């Protein structure tokens, strides 16, 4: 295992270095949005008594998360056997039904928030027993599991360049545990409870000590390993049907199929991928388990994703608007500070002007008027004009910053047009389309979400072919959101069902 551990850790450190800058920038974005806007040297640059946070970014992020969760992107499967679409229809229903539980909704919500704020999110597909009866009969179902802070804790294969990471051969998830939860985790799997922690994904720039938690990190390294496997090809000329079965399935079902009219036409031995997960502590492999999938069961979700000079770059909604938000906070804090330290508007008198009449000005009642002395004690006439202390005034530059930063943030986050920028004969319809809430930004986000769901469909299909390998009763969901109980045939999800 030591050789295998070194092989995995060498790949991990290469992957870690490849995406280091993007992860660091994303963690700063998350800190800025989730913890405090006054995150850097700006806090020391200003001398305000009041430092407020007037968040213009968070409402837009929340709006986009809601829009993404409410958008129905249909994932459909198809069968290469055009005469029998039953397997694809059942897979459609299984997928829809699996999306209805709270874990799936939360996984998508967490990934969407990470993606919008930092540029990258992810969730993973896992299998679990379908209740006590399922554990007895070894019947599993597919569930989704959230990955908090995937922008920092999911380390992809550095050779993978596709946005859905379909070309990745390995991926590492850094999972945090409290000491108590880790002991329970280790006992459950028979691991050593007294072990060093895997590499922490955190950043060193954070200056708030209460953010640091005493955690234990475990590396979960997913890898695709090659394996030779036999496939049996059966045909039924009467039904004009063709089936492709694995060696294991052929042993279980081959005789019955041949009795029903199918004939074995060919046996092929090809190289396939098996997915394995290794648990790591940085010094040794704690254990490993086989994942029922031929694909890495992690679904990435990116906002703006690109490469520069060979390095992977991604960003969300926060980073382009951070400078505007900082200046907006600074300007608003300046105004609040000035108002807080400003005096109330008070009249300015010579003492002789209100001598003997002070009670008018000390009284808090709403008097219709107050009196002034007409003459001094010597009989000399007094000036009637009264001057007042002025309220704090907002400098023109501060007002300009407030207006300019709010407009700039709106354009950065929503992509709208200002009336002052509209030149020429632009129709009202065009303006409405451009200025629709999130119109230009949400198009990109929805496109990337659709790409992630397509990838999830491929993973879901790969796992379904493995875990739904015996006849069993399942529940599916139709396109009209109607639940239906069906019996899954042992060969209905054959190797020709595609996505």
């Amino acid at each position: 295992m030591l050789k295998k551990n070194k092989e995995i850790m060498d790949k991990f450190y290469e992957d870690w270095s490849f995406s280091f800058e993007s992860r660091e920038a994303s963690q700063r974005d998350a800190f800025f949005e989730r913890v405090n806007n006054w995150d850097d040297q700006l806090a020391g640059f200003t001398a305000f008594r009041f430092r407020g946070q007037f968040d213009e970014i968070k409402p837009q992020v929340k709006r986009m998360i809601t829009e993404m969760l409410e958008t129905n992107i249909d994932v459909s499967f198809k069968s290469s056997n055009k005469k029998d679409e039953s397997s694809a229809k059942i897979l459609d229903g299984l997928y829809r039904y699996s999306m209805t539980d709270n874990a799936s909704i939360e996984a998508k919500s967490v990934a969407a928030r990470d993606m919008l704020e930092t540029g990258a999110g992810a969730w993973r597909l896992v299998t679990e027993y379908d209740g006590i009866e399922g554990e007895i009969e070894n019947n599993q179902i597919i569930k989704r599991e959230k990955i908090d802070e995937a922008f920092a804790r999911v380390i992809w294969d550095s050779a993978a360049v596709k946005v859905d990471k379909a070309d990745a051969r390995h991926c590492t998830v850094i999972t945090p545990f409290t000491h108590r939860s880790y002991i329970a985790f280790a006992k459950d799997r028979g691991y050593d409870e007294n072990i060093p922690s895997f590499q922490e994904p955190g950043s060193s720039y954070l200056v708030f000590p209460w953010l640091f938690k005493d955690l234990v990190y475990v590396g979960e390294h997913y890898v695709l390993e090659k394996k030779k496997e036999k496939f049996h090809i059966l045909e039924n000329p009467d039904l004009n049907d063709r089936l492709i079965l694995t060696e294991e399935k052929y042993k279980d079902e081959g005789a019955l199929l041949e009795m029903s009219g199918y004939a074995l036409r060919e046996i092929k031995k090809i190289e396939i991928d098996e997915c394995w997960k290794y648990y790591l502590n940085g010094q040794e492999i704690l254990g490993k388990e086989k994942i029922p999938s031929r694909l890495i069961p992690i679904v990435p979700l990116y906002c703006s994703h690109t490469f520069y000079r060979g390095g992977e770059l991604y960003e969300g909604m926060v980073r382009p608007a951070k400078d505007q938000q900082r200046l907006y906070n600074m300007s608003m804090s300046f105004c609040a500070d000035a108002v807080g330290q400003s005096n109330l508007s008070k009249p300015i008198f010579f003492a002789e002007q209100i001598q003997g009449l002070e009670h008018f000005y000390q009284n808090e009642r709403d008097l219709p008027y107050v009196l002034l002395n007409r003459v001094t004690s010597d009989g000399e006439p007094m000036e009637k004009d009264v001057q007042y202390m002025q309220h704090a005034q907002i400098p023109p530059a501060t007002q300009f910053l407030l207006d300019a930063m709010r407009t700039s943030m709106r354009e950065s986050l929503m992509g709208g047009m200002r009336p002052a920028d509209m030149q020429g004969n632009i129709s009202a319809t065009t303006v409405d389309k451009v200025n629709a809430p999130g119109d230009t930004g949400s198009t990109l986000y929805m496109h990337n979400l659709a790409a992630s769901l397509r990838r999830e469909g491929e993973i879901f299909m790969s796992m379904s072919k493995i875990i739904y390998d015996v006849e069993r009763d399942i529940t599916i969901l139709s396109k009209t959101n109607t639940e239906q109980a069906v019996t899954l045939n042992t060969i209905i999800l054959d190797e020709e069902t595609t996505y």
Side-chain angles (χ1 to χ4, degrees), residues 61-75:
V61 171
K62 289 181 178 179
R63 180 185 59 79
M64 281 307 309
I65 292 174
T66 301
E67 187 173 334
M68 294 180 75
L69 292 177
E70 291 180 347
T71 299
N72 183 26
I73 299 177
D74 194 28
V75 175

Side-chain angles (χ1 to χ4, degrees), residues 32-250:
F32 183 90
E33 180 58 18
R34 299 178 185 182
V35 182
N36 199 311
N37 288 174
W38 298 83
D39 64 334
D40 53 15
Q41 66 273 14
L42 186 64
F45 175 75
T46 59
F48 306 141
R49 296 183 183 181
F50 175 78
R51 292 174 182 170
Q53 185 165 310
F54 307 91
D55 205 325
E56 294 281 328
I57 301 175
K58 194 182 297 293
Q60 296 303 325
V61 171
K62 289 181 178 179
R63 180 185 59 79
M64 281 307 309
I65 292 174
T66 301
E67 187 173 334
M68 294 180 75
L69 292 177
E70 291 180 347
T71 299
N72 183 26
I73 299 177
D74 194 28
V75 175
S76 298
F77 300 86
K78 63 181 179 180
S79 175
S80 57
N81 185 352
K82 301 300 181 183
K83 294 185 177 181
D84 183 12
E85 295 289 343
S86 59
S87 60
K89 289 180 180 179
I90 288 178
L91 204 53
D92 282 345
L94 273 173
Y95 180 85
R96 287 192 209 97
Y97 186 73
S98 73
M99 290 288 289
T100 59
D101 61 41
N102 287 338
S104 295
I105 296 171
E106 184 182 16
K108 187 177 174 183
S109 176
V110 169
R113 179 180 178 181
D114 284 348
M115 179 269 275
L116 292 168
E117 289 182 350
T118 70
W123 68 90
R124 58 181 160 188
L125 274 64
V126 299
T127 58
E128 62 181 45
Y129 289 112
D130 190 8
I132 297 176
E133 185 178 342
E135 187 168 1
I136 294 172
E137 298 181 359
N138 198 30
N139 288 340
Q140 299 184 74
I141 56 176
I142 300 172
K143 293 280 190 177
R144 286 160 191 81
E145 189 176 90
K146 68 174 182 174
I147 304 178
D148 289 305
E149 300 178 82
F151 53 86
R153 292 178 176 162
V154 177
I155 316 300
W156 285 100
D157 179 0
S158 58
V161 296
K162 294 182 178 180
V163 72
D164 62 358
K165 298 301 180 183
D167 52 344
R169 298 294 301 174
H170 59 266
C171 177
T172 304
V173 179
I174 304 175
T175 304
F177 292 88
T178 63
H179 280 279
R180 183 178 298 177
S181 63
Y182 175 75
I183 290 172
F185 168 82
K187 281 183 177 179
D188 185 51
R189 289 166 172 76
Y191 300 157
D192 186 357
E193 299 173 23
N194 301 308
I195 60 169
S197 176
F198 194 75
Q199 183 160 338
E200 182 179 350
S203 212
S204 59
Y205 78 95
L206 300 177
V207 294
F208 289 76
W210 48 266
L211 288 175
F212 292 96
K213 306 295 182 183
D214 191 12
L215 299 175
V216 175
Y217 293 93
V218 173
E220 298 178 69
H221 182 76
Y222 294 84
V223 61
L224 299 179
E225 298 179 352
K226 295 290 186 182
K227 174 193 172 184
K228 294 273 188 178
E229 185 166 336
K230 286 183 181 179
F231 287 90
H232 297 252
I233 303 173
L234 294 86
E235 293 180 352
N236 188 326
D238 296 333
L239 301 176
N240 194 23
D241 193 19
R242 182 171 178 263
L243 295 176
I244 302 175
L245 303 181
T246 63
E247 176 80 2
E248 186 177 350
K249 270 195 173 183
Y250 180 74

